[in-house]
């Protein structure tokens, strides 16, 4: 199957067949030795070259095509017996297969005739060893069949050299044509002209040298042949050898060649012809191989140089070359681009060396002098130099570089030139500066952080202390190390050293983090409690490389914790001492805490409420509360738990002895910062005594109500006596006056008549007073009318005018205009005014001068305000003076102001008293514009 799939194309087989037959014709044309049928054998070269370039799996196809070509040539050119022709072809096949196998095996790949090794392998094995087989088989076949009476010994040398010459002449041409058929290599115009001139010279020299009688003159063709080999390599050799073979064949056939002679010398000349062609081919191939190798070496060298140039330009460093004296002679492209220079000529300045000019114009001014001094010192001494400096980039920015220079010396040690590189380290310098700045900041932070930071080696020896450690404890790193190299515990309280040392030793041995508390000595005070923590730092393999630790002052914390524990104990005792039953619930209402008094009261704790199948809240309700109170207790408690509202309820709780006692229960939720209820705090206060006292109080109130009714009758009697006393006194006074007017001589009837009218009016007033007082105390509905206050004020003034004149008191009335009417009981309001005016006049009985009573009426917001002011001694008890039966008068009953306040409040107003400055008092009452009946 491999042979079938490796079959050549029919076109290629046809070309092979044609070349083979033409090669046989060429050999027949040169077979000029009398009695000898062999000569130069080109088909051998065609066959060897074809098998060299093709796969062994395709060889059977080429052999079959060669067999057909051989039989056809035997029939056309040689007219030999078919058996003899076939044996000759067998020799040719064995020669081609042997040569191709040996050459490919030696070269390790198909031969391309590009190296001297390949040429030597082809010449020695393909053209030297392989023809031994074909010469032997072919000579034996000719001798066996007696073709033209040729013997084996006569034919074999010519057969071998003929096959070798054919291979040397034709195989290179075939290899070049087949391998370079599709090559796109184009010759330049100059190469075409050179090739044309070489061809003309070659043809002329070949025709001249081969047409003379002197055999040695044939070798004059060697210079142009070698010229073709050197300039055009194997292509030129193949073309030149082909032309040489054709010229030789043409001259030989025509008889114009010196290789044609008489029958006695023809055999020798035939051998010389074959040797000439073989030597020419061998020499040309060798020279072409050498030329090709040199060209390949030059190409490789140029490619290497180009690669090195690209490498120099692409390497991410700045490279420069200098003379032994230090003058720059080369900058790589990257450096020129960095400086923005086209070439080094831009650095030349009159009177200044190129080195100094370059440093002055391209290096930072702060670094230029030191760099120039360092460079000149190295150039003078031959010592390498290294320095970091700043170079100016094309955009004007300076960047840090690391410059290094090394001298190149010859075998004698003399410096040939200097090579200098500068590596851009600007980012590294900035990173290092940032790192140093970060380290300083970190060190400052570590030194200023308000805690003690320290480090230990893997063996536990302190190796670093921050500033706080030294300032707080007053010790240094040397103080932390004992004379024997171990860690010192002098800073630790003697009572804590052993325990601390054990903790540190265990941590160092096991590698686990350590936490230890101990008392630490301070530089300016007593020992303080600290908590030290340390964590190990490990490498990639897990090995501890250092310990990092901190020591935090917890003295205040421990003191606060101790105080908190003491406070907690105090609060616990306080809770136990509170005379109430305290309890705590979860947000869902589950009991979580009972105070000691609650436990003693009910005889169980929270844990005793845990029962299977029910929660603790339900168990507490059914166990501790009166059955009649459970429903409303659950309702109130569930509402509070659902809404978060405060809980408040009175209920009965069962005491440990089975008795139920009334409790006042209250609970408030405790919320966190987000407002979510964390727990409920509640208390149950024993109010059983209060409940029973309230029941007794209720009974007492009922008794008091009955007693109050009796007292009300007495109060009514006193009120009637007080209010009726005024009109009765007026009646008595007017009656005495009337009597005086009637007894006068002559009787003054007119005045008596007016006095009688006043007596009748006073009597009616007494009757009205009695009726109104009764209505007041019975809370009956009064008859009120819309009245302006100025008329009521005027009537009260008229009633009190005579008494005021008798007491030498001036009444000053001020009524604000445009007052809206007020719905009032005229008699009651007038009674209030008269009572207040009389009390004011009574208050000024002890006043000797400036006895003025002021009555002022004005509007204040939506009320009318009446003020009655005097200039007496003022009031001592502004609030108690309105209480019933409270009086400061010697013969007063203490009911007047109480009745006045009742009347005013029944009208929806208010009545109060104020002291004046510097003396006197003012009684003020208000009435709304829209009367409101007091409840």
């Amino acid at each position: 199957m491999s042979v079938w799939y490796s079959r050549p194309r029919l076109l290629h087989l046809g070309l092979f067949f044609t070349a083979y037959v033409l090669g046989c014709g060429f050999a027949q044309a040169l077979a000029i030795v009398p009695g000898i049928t062999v000569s130069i054998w080109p088909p051998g070269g065609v066959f060897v070259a074809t098998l060299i370039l093709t796969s062994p799996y395709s060889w059977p196809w080429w052999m079959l095509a060669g067999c057909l070509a051989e039989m056809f040539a035997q029939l056309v050119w040689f007219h030999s017996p078919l058996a003899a022709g076939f044996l000759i072809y067998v020799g040719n096949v064995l020669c081609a297969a042997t040569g191709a196998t040996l050459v490919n095996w030696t070269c390790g790949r198909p031969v391309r005739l590009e190296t001297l090794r390949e040429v030597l392998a082809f010449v020695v094995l393909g053209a030297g060893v392989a023809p031994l087989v074909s010469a032997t088989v072919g000579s034996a076949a000719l001798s066996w069949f007696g073709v033209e009476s040729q013997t084996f010994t006569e034919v074999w040398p010519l057969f071998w050299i003929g096959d070798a010459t054919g291979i040397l002449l034709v195989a290179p041409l075939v290899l070049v044509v087949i391998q370079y058929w599709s090559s796109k290599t184009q010759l330049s115009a100059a190469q075409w002209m050179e090739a044309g001139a070489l061809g003309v010279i070659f043809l002329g020299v070949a025709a001249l040298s081969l047409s003379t009688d002197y055999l040695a003159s044939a070798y004059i063709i060697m210079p142009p042949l070698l010229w073709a080999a050197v300039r055009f390599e194997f292509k030129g050799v193949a073309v030149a050898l082909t032309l040489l073979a054709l010229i030789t064949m043409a001259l030989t056939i025509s008889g114009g060649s010196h290789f044609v002679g008489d029958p006695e010398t023809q055999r020798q000349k035939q051998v010389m012809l074959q040797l000439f062609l073989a030597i020419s081919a061998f020499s040309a191939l060798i020279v072409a191989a050498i030329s090709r190798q040199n060209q390949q070496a030059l190409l490789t060298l140029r490619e290497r140089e180009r690669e090195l140039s690209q490498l120099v330009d692409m390497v991410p460093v700045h490279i420069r070359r200098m003379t032994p004296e230090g003058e720059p002679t080369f900058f790589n492209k990257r450096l020129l681009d960095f400086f923005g220079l086209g070439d080094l000529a831009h650095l030349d300045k009159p009177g200044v060396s190129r080195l100094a000019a370059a440093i002055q114009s391209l290096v930072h001014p702060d670094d230029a002098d030191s760099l120039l001094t360092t460079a000149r010192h190295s150039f003078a001494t031959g010592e390498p130099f290294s320095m970091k400096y700043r170079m100016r980039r094309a955009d004007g920015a300076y960047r840090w570089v690391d410059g290094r220079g090394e001298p190149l010396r010859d075998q004698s040690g003399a410096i040939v030139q200097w090579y200098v590189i500068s590596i851009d380290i600007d980012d590294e310098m900035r990173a290092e500066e940032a790192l140093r700045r970060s380290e300083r900041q970190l060190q400052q932070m570590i030194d200023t952080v308000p805690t003690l930071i320290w480090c230990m080696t893997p063996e536990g020896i302190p190796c670093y202390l921050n500033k706080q450690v030294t300032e707080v404890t007053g010790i240094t790193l040397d103080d932390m190390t004992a004379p024997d190299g171990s860690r010192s515990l002098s800073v630790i309280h003697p009572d804590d050293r052993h325990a601390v040392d054990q903790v540190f030793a265990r941590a160092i041995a096991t590698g686990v983090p350590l936490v230890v508390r101990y008392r630490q000595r301070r530089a300016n005070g007593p020992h303080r409690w600290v908590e030290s923590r340390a964590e190990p730092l490990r490498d990639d393999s897990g090995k501890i490389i250092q310990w990092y630790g901190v020591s935090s002052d917890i003295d205040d914390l421990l003191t606060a914790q101790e105080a908190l524990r003491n406070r907690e104990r105090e609060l616990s005792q306080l809770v136990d001492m509170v005379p109430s039953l305290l309890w705590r619930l979860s947000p869902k209402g589950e009991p979580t805490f009972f105070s000691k008094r609650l436990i003693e009261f009910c005889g169980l704790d929270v844990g005793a409420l845990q029962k299977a199948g029910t929660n603790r809240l339900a168990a507490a309700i059914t166990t501790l509360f009166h059955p009649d109170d459970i429903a409303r207790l659950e309702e109130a408690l569930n509402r509070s738990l659902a809404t978060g509202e405060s809980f408040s309820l009175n209920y009965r709780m069962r005491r440990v002895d089975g008795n139920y006692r009334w409790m006042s229960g209250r609970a408030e939720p405790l919320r966190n910062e987000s407002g979510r209820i964390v727990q409920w705090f509640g208390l149950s206060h024993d109010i059983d005594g209060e409940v029973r006292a309230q029941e007794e109080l209720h009974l007492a109130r009922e008794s008091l109500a009955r007693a109050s009714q009796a007292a009300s009758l007495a109060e009514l009697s006193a009120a009637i006596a007080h209010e009726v006393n005024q009109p009765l006194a007026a009646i008595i006074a007017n009656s005495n006056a009337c009597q005086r007017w009637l007894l006068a001589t002559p009787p003054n009837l007119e005045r008596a008549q007016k006095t009688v009218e006043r007596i009748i009016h006073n009597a009616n007033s007494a009757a009205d007073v009695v009726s109104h007082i009764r209505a007041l105390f019975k809370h009956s509905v009064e008859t009120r009318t819309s009245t302006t206050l100025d008329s009521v004020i005027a009537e009260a003034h008229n009633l009190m005018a005579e008494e005021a004149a008798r007491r030498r008191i001036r009444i000053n009335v001020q009524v604000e205009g445009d007052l809206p009417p007020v719905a009032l009981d005229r008699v009651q309001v007038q009674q209030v005014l008269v009572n207040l005016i009389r009390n004011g006049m009574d208050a000024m009985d002890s006043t000797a001068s400036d006895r003025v009573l002021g009555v002022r009426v004005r509007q204040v917001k939506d009320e009318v305000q009446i003020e009655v002011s005097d200039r007496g001694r003022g009031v001592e008890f502004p609030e108690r003076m309105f209480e019933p039966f409270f009086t400061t008068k010697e013969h007063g009953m203490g009911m007047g102001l109480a009745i006045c306040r009742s009347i005013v409040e029944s009208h929806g107003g208010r009545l109060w008293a104020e002291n004046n400055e510097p003396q006197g008092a003012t009684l003020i009452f208000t009435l709304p514009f829209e009367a409101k009946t007091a409840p």
Side-chain angles (χ1 to χ4, degrees), residues 795-846:
E795 289 182 0
H797 178 261
N798 292 333
L799 287 175
M800 301 303 298
E802 185 176 349
E803 183 176 354
R806 187 176 65 251
R807 295 189 179 189
R808 296 188 300 277
I809 296 174
R810 179 166 54 89
I811 299 177
N812 186 11
V813 179
Q814 297 179 6
V815 180
E816 191 177 278
D818 298 330
L819 289 175
V822 180
L824 50 79
D825 187 316
R826 190 181 188 91
V827 175
Q828 290 184 349
V829 173
Q830 189 181 77
Q831 183 181 356
V832 171
L833 285 170
V834 171
N835 201 339
L836 296 181
I837 292 172
R838 179 172 283 114
N839 285 342
M841 290 190 296
D842 291 342
M844 292 188 291
D845 283 344
S846 59

Coordinates of all heavy atoms in Angstrom, one line a residue, residues 795-846:
E795 N -74.2 99.4 87.7 CA -75.1 99.1 88.8 C -74.4 98.8 90.1 O -74.8 99.2 91.2 CB -76.0 97.9 88.4 CG -77.0 98.3 87.3 CD -77.9 97.1 86.9 OE1 -77.7 96.0 87.5 OE2 -78.7 97.2 86.0
A796 N -73.3 98.0 90.0 CA -72.6 97.6 91.2 C -72.0 98.9 91.8 O -71.9 99.0 93.0 CB -71.5 96.6 90.8
H797 N -71.5 99.8 90.9 CA -70.9 101.1 91.4 C -71.9 101.9 92.2 O -71.7 102.5 93.3 CB -70.3 101.9 90.3 CG -69.7 103.2 90.7 ND1 -70.4 104.4 90.6 CD2 -68.5 103.5 91.3 CE1 -69.7 105.4 91.0 NE2 -68.5 104.8 91.5
N798 N -73.2 102.0 91.6 CA -74.3 102.7 92.3 C -74.6 102.1 93.6 O -74.9 102.8 94.6 CB -75.5 102.8 91.4 CG -75.2 103.6 90.1 OD1 -74.4 104.5 90.2 ND2 -75.9 103.3 89.1
L799 N -74.6 100.7 93.7 CA -75.0 100.1 94.9 C -74.0 100.4 96.0 O -74.3 100.5 97.2 CB -75.1 98.6 94.7 CG -76.3 98.0 93.9 CD1 -76.2 96.5 93.7 CD2 -77.6 98.4 94.7
M800 N -72.7 100.5 95.7 CA -71.6 100.7 96.7 C -71.2 102.2 96.8 O -70.3 102.5 97.6 CB -70.4 99.8 96.3 CG -70.7 98.4 96.2 SD -71.5 97.7 97.7 CE -70.1 97.9 98.8
A801 N -71.8 103.1 96.1 CA -71.4 104.5 96.1 C -71.6 105.1 97.4 O -70.7 105.8 98.0 CB -72.1 105.3 95.0
E802 N -72.8 104.9 98.1 CA -73.1 105.6 99.4 C -72.1 105.1 100.4 O -71.6 105.8 101.2 CB -74.5 105.4 99.7 CG -74.9 106.1 101.0 CD -76.4 106.0 101.3 OE1 -77.2 105.5 100.4 OE2 -76.8 106.4 102.4
E803 N -71.9 103.7 100.4 CA -71.1 103.1 101.5 C -69.6 103.6 101.3 O -68.9 103.9 102.2 CB -71.1 101.6 101.4 CG -70.3 100.9 102.5 CD -70.4 99.4 102.5 OE1 -71.3 98.9 101.7 OE2 -69.7 98.8 103.2
A804 N -69.2 103.7 100.0 CA -67.9 104.2 99.7 C -67.7 105.7 100.2 O -66.7 106.0 100.7 CB -67.6 104.1 98.2
A805 N -68.8 106.5 100.0 CA -68.7 107.9 100.4 C -68.6 107.9 101.9 O -67.9 108.8 102.5 CB -69.9 108.6 99.9
R806 N -69.4 107.1 102.6 CA -69.4 107.1 104.1 C -68.0 106.7 104.6 O -67.6 107.2 105.6 CB -70.5 106.1 104.6 CG -70.6 106.2 106.1 CD -71.8 105.3 106.6 NE -71.5 103.9 106.4 CZ -72.1 103.1 105.5 NH1 -73.0 103.7 104.7 NH2 -71.8 101.9 105.3
R807 N -67.3 105.8 103.8 CA -65.9 105.3 104.3 C -64.8 106.2 103.7 O -63.6 105.9 103.9 CB -65.7 103.9 103.8 CG -66.6 102.9 104.5 CD -66.1 101.5 104.2 NE -66.9 100.4 104.8 CZ -66.6 99.1 104.8 NH1 -65.5 98.7 104.2 NH2 -67.4 98.3 105.4
R808 N -65.2 107.3 103.0 CA -64.2 108.2 102.4 C -63.3 107.4 101.4 O -62.1 107.6 101.5 CB -63.5 108.9 103.5 CG -64.3 109.8 104.3 CD -63.5 110.7 105.2 NE -62.7 109.9 106.1 CZ -63.1 109.4 107.3 NH1 -64.4 109.6 107.7 NH2 -62.3 108.8 108.0
I809 N -63.9 106.6 100.6 CA -63.1 105.8 99.6 C -63.6 106.2 98.2 O -64.8 106.3 97.9 CB -63.3 104.3 99.8 CG1 -62.7 103.9 101.1 CG2 -62.6 103.5 98.6 CD1 -63.0 102.4 101.5
R810 N -62.6 106.5 97.3 CA -62.9 106.9 96.0 C -62.8 105.7 95.1 O -61.8 105.0 95.0 CB -62.0 108.0 95.5 CG -62.2 108.4 94.0 CD -61.4 109.7 93.8 NE -60.0 109.6 94.1 CZ -59.1 109.1 93.2 NH1 -59.4 108.8 92.0 NH2 -57.8 109.1 93.6
I811 N -64.0 105.4 94.3 CA -64.0 104.3 93.4 C -63.6 104.8 92.0 O -64.4 105.7 91.4 CB -65.3 103.6 93.4 CG1 -65.6 103.0 94.8 CG2 -65.3 102.4 92.4 CD1 -67.0 102.4 94.9
N812 N -62.6 104.3 91.4 CA -62.1 104.7 90.0 C -62.4 103.6 89.1 O -61.8 102.5 89.1 CB -60.6 105.0 90.1 CG -60.1 105.6 88.7 OD1 -60.9 105.9 87.9 ND2 -58.8 105.7 88.6
V813 N -63.4 103.8 88.1 CA -63.9 102.8 87.2 C -63.3 103.1 85.8 O -63.4 104.2 85.3 CB -65.4 102.7 87.1 CG1 -65.8 101.6 86.1 CG2 -65.9 102.4 88.5
Q814 N -62.6 102.1 85.2 CA -62.1 102.2 83.8 C -62.6 101.0 83.0 O -62.3 99.8 83.3 CB -60.6 102.2 83.8 CG -60.0 103.3 84.5 CD -58.4 103.3 84.4 OE1 -57.9 102.4 83.8 NE2 -57.8 104.2 85.1
V815 N -63.5 101.3 82.0 CA -64.1 100.3 81.1 C -63.6 100.5 79.7 O -63.8 101.6 79.2 CB -65.6 100.3 81.2 CG1 -66.2 99.2 80.3 CG2 -66.1 100.1 82.7
E816 N -63.0 99.5 79.1 CA -62.5 99.6 77.7 C -63.7 99.7 76.8 O -64.7 99.0 77.0 CB -61.6 98.4 77.4 CG -60.8 98.5 76.1 CD -59.9 97.3 75.9 OE1 -58.8 97.3 76.5 OE2 -60.3 96.4 75.2
G817 N -63.6 100.5 75.8 CA -64.7 100.7 74.8 C -64.8 99.5 73.8 O -63.9 98.8 73.6
D818 N -66.0 99.4 73.2 CA -66.3 98.5 72.2 C -66.1 97.0 72.7 O -65.6 96.2 71.9 CB -65.4 98.7 71.0 CG -65.7 100.1 70.3 OD1 -66.9 100.5 70.5 OD2 -64.8 100.6 69.7
L819 N -66.5 96.8 73.9 CA -66.4 95.4 74.4 C -67.6 94.6 73.9 O -68.7 95.0 73.9 CB -66.4 95.3 75.9 CG -65.1 95.9 76.6 CD1 -65.3 95.9 78.1 CD2 -63.9 95.0 76.2
P820 N -67.4 93.4 73.4 CA -68.5 92.6 72.9 C -69.4 92.2 74.1 O -68.9 92.1 75.3 CB -67.8 91.4 72.3 CG -66.4 91.7 72.1 CD -66.1 92.7 73.2
P821 N -70.6 91.9 73.8 CA -71.5 91.5 74.9 C -71.1 90.1 75.4 O -70.5 89.3 74.7 CB -72.9 91.5 74.3 CG -72.6 91.3 72.8 CD -71.4 92.1 72.5
V822 N -71.5 89.8 76.7 CA -71.1 88.6 77.3 C -72.4 87.9 77.8 O -73.3 88.6 78.4 CB -70.2 88.8 78.5 CG1 -69.8 87.5 79.2 CG2 -68.9 89.5 78.0
A823 N -72.5 86.6 77.6 CA -73.7 85.9 78.1 C -73.4 85.6 79.6 O -72.5 84.8 79.9 CB -73.9 84.6 77.3
L824 N -74.3 86.2 80.5 CA -74.0 86.0 81.9 C -75.3 86.1 82.7 O -76.4 86.6 82.1 CB -73.0 87.0 82.4 CG -73.2 88.5 82.0 CD1 -74.3 89.2 82.9 CD2 -71.9 89.2 82.1
D825 N -75.3 85.7 83.9 CA -76.4 85.9 84.9 C -76.1 87.2 85.6 O -75.1 87.3 86.3 CB -76.4 84.7 85.9 CG -77.6 84.8 86.8 OD1 -77.9 85.9 87.3 OD2 -78.3 83.8 87.0
R826 N -76.8 88.2 85.2 CA -76.6 89.6 85.7 C -76.5 89.7 87.2 O -75.6 90.3 87.7 CB -77.7 90.5 85.1 CG -77.4 92.0 85.3 CD -78.6 92.8 84.8 NE -78.3 94.2 84.8 CZ -77.7 94.9 83.8 NH1 -77.4 94.2 82.6 NH2 -77.5 96.2 83.8
V827 N -77.4 89.1 87.9 CA -77.5 89.2 89.4 C -76.2 88.5 90.0 O -75.6 89.1 90.9 CB -78.7 88.5 89.9 CG1 -78.7 88.5 91.5 CG2 -80.0 89.2 89.4
Q828 N -75.8 87.3 89.5 CA -74.6 86.6 90.0 C -73.4 87.4 89.8 O -72.5 87.6 90.7 CB -74.5 85.2 89.4 CG -75.6 84.3 89.9 CD -75.4 82.8 89.4 OE1 -74.6 82.7 88.5 NE2 -76.1 81.9 89.9
V829 N -73.2 88.0 88.6 CA -72.0 88.7 88.3 C -72.0 90.0 89.1 O -70.9 90.4 89.6 CB -71.9 89.0 86.8 CG1 -70.7 89.9 86.5 CG2 -71.7 87.7 86.0
Q830 N -73.1 90.6 89.2 CA -73.2 91.8 90.0 C -72.9 91.5 91.5 O -72.2 92.3 92.2 CB -74.6 92.4 89.9 CG -74.7 93.8 90.6 CD -76.1 94.3 90.4 OE1 -77.0 93.9 91.2 NE2 -76.4 95.3 89.5
Q831 N -73.4 90.3 92.0 CA -73.1 89.9 93.3 C -71.6 89.7 93.5 O -71.0 90.1 94.6 CB -73.8 88.6 93.6 CG -73.6 88.1 95.0 CD -74.4 86.8 95.2 OE1 -75.1 86.3 94.3 NE2 -74.2 86.2 96.4
V832 N -70.9 89.1 92.5 CA -69.4 89.0 92.5 C -68.7 90.3 92.6 O -67.8 90.6 93.5 CB -68.9 88.2 91.3 CG1 -67.4 88.2 91.2 CG2 -69.4 86.8 91.3
L833 N -69.1 91.3 91.8 CA -68.5 92.6 91.8 C -68.7 93.3 93.1 O -67.8 93.9 93.7 CB -69.1 93.5 90.7 CG -68.7 93.1 89.3 CD1 -69.5 93.9 88.2 CD2 -67.2 93.5 89.1
V834 N -70.0 93.3 93.7 CA -70.2 93.9 95.0 C -69.4 93.3 96.1 O -68.8 94.0 96.9 CB -71.7 93.8 95.3 CG1 -72.0 94.3 96.7 CG2 -72.5 94.7 94.3
N835 N -69.3 92.0 96.0 CA -68.5 91.3 97.1 C -67.0 91.7 97.0 O -66.3 91.9 98.0 CB -68.6 89.8 96.9 CG -68.3 89.0 98.2 OD1 -67.6 89.5 99.0 ND2 -68.8 87.8 98.3
L836 N -66.5 91.7 95.8 CA -65.1 92.1 95.6 C -64.8 93.5 96.0 O -63.8 93.9 96.6 CB -64.6 91.8 94.1 CG -64.6 90.4 93.7 CD1 -64.1 90.3 92.2 CD2 -63.8 89.5 94.6
I837 N -65.8 94.5 95.6 CA -65.6 95.9 96.0 C -65.6 96.0 97.5 O -64.8 96.8 98.1 CB -66.7 96.7 95.3 CG1 -66.4 96.7 93.7 CG2 -66.7 98.1 95.8 CD1 -67.6 97.4 92.9
R838 N -66.6 95.4 98.2 CA -66.7 95.5 99.6 C -65.4 95.0 100.3 O -64.9 95.6 101.3 CB -67.9 94.8 100.1 CG -68.1 94.9 101.7 CD -69.4 94.3 102.2 NE -70.5 95.3 101.9 CZ -71.5 95.1 101.0 NH1 -71.5 93.9 100.4 NH2 -72.4 96.0 100.9
N839 N -64.9 93.8 99.8 CA -63.7 93.3 100.4 C -62.5 94.2 100.2 O -61.7 94.4 101.1 CB -63.3 91.9 99.7 CG -64.2 90.8 100.2 OD1 -64.9 90.9 101.3 ND2 -64.3 89.7 99.5
G840 N -62.5 94.9 99.0 CA -61.4 95.9 98.8 C -61.6 97.1 99.8 O -60.5 97.6 100.3
M841 N -62.8 97.5 100.0 CA -63.0 98.7 100.9 C -62.6 98.2 102.3 O -62.0 99.0 103.1 CB -64.4 99.2 100.8 CG -64.7 99.9 99.5 SD -66.2 100.8 99.5 CE -67.4 99.4 99.6
D842 N -62.9 96.9 102.7 CA -62.6 96.4 104.0 C -61.1 96.4 104.2 O -60.5 96.6 105.3 CB -63.2 95.0 104.2 CG -64.7 95.1 104.3 OD1 -65.2 96.2 104.6 OD2 -65.3 94.0 104.1
A843 N -60.4 96.1 103.1 CA -58.9 95.9 103.2 C -58.2 97.3 103.4 O -57.1 97.3 103.9 CB -58.3 95.3 101.9
M844 N -58.9 98.4 103.1 CA -58.3 99.7 103.3 C -58.8 100.5 104.5 O -58.6 101.7 104.6 CB -58.6 100.6 102.0 CG -57.9 100.1 100.8 SD -58.1 101.2 99.3 CE -59.8 101.0 99.0
D845 N -59.5 99.7 105.4 CA -60.0 100.4 106.7 C -58.8 100.9 107.5 O -59.0 102.0 108.2 CB -60.8 99.4 107.5 CG -62.2 99.2 106.9 OD1 -62.6 100.0 106.1 OD2 -62.8 98.2 107.2
S846 N -57.7 100.2 107.4 CA -56.5 100.7 108.2 C -55.6 101.7 107.5 O -54.6 102.1 108.0 CB -55.7 99.5 108.7 OG -55.3 98.8 107.6

